[in-house]
Amino acid sequence: MKRVTGIGGIFFQAKDPVALRAWYQRHLGIDVQPWGGAAFDWTDAAGQPVAGTTAWSIGAQGSEQFAPGTAPFMVNYRVADLDALLQALREEGCQVLEKADDSEYGKFGWVIDPEGHKVELWEPPAGS
């Protein structure tokens, strides 16, 4: 079974998320949107769009978004078949969180790695 197929997003916390977003926008040119992040559309070698986006977002320090993880960041990995992967991780003895989400943005599940980091697994909607 194919497991991770790419990185879907990078999320991290900041003491002052508004100021940090502004810094990234001003100095690195990241097009920070009102929701607190940016979406990087994937392109091929010629610069033409292909299916896929990587999200980047800064949230408030201490938010519950990464709980029960212990790190101030979380990586979202794209996967081909979330249900099968979560089942395989359970069978392998991994700490899979019971909560899962299914929305217009795709299917989401979470696992805690051996060092306490919450890892987000995302099966995007077909064609994304």
Side-chain angles (χ1 to χ4, degrees):
M1 166 184 54
K2 191 167 191 177
R3 295 191 181 215
V4 170
T5 62
I7 294 178
I10 301 169
F11 308 92
F12 56 103
Q13 298 177 348
K15 294 174 190 166
D16 186 344
V18 173
L20 193 56
R21 290 176 199 138
W23 185 93
Y24 275 94
Q25 188 165 24
R26 178 176 179 212
H27 298 289
L28 299 183
I30 294 177
D31 185 22
V32 179
Q33 299 298 303
W35 55 270
F40 295 94
D41 294 325
W42 295 0
T43 59
D44 63 17
Q48 298 301 308
V50 296
T53 301
T54 299
W56 173 95
S57 179
I58 299 174
Q61 188 173 35
S63 101
E64 291 298 311
Q65 179 183 4
F66 305 159
T70 57
F73 66 88
M74 181 173 60
V75 177
N76 165 293
Y77 293 98
R78 293 172 64 105
V79 302
D81 184 342
L82 179 65
D83 295 332
L85 178 54
L86 292 176
Q87 183 58 38
L89 292 171
R90 284 183 186 100
E91 291 170 2
E92 293 164 3
C94 296
Q95 183 184 351
V96 175
L97 302 184
E98 289 305 314
K99 178 185 178 212
D101 286 337
D102 192 349
S103 73
E104 64 187 278
Y105 302 109
K107 295 164 70 173
F108 297 86
W110 297 269
V111 61
I112 304 297
D113 78 12
E115 293 201 7
H117 306 113
K118 184 177 180 183
V119 176
E120 186 168 68
L121 304 171
W122 171 52
E123 180 183 332
S128 296

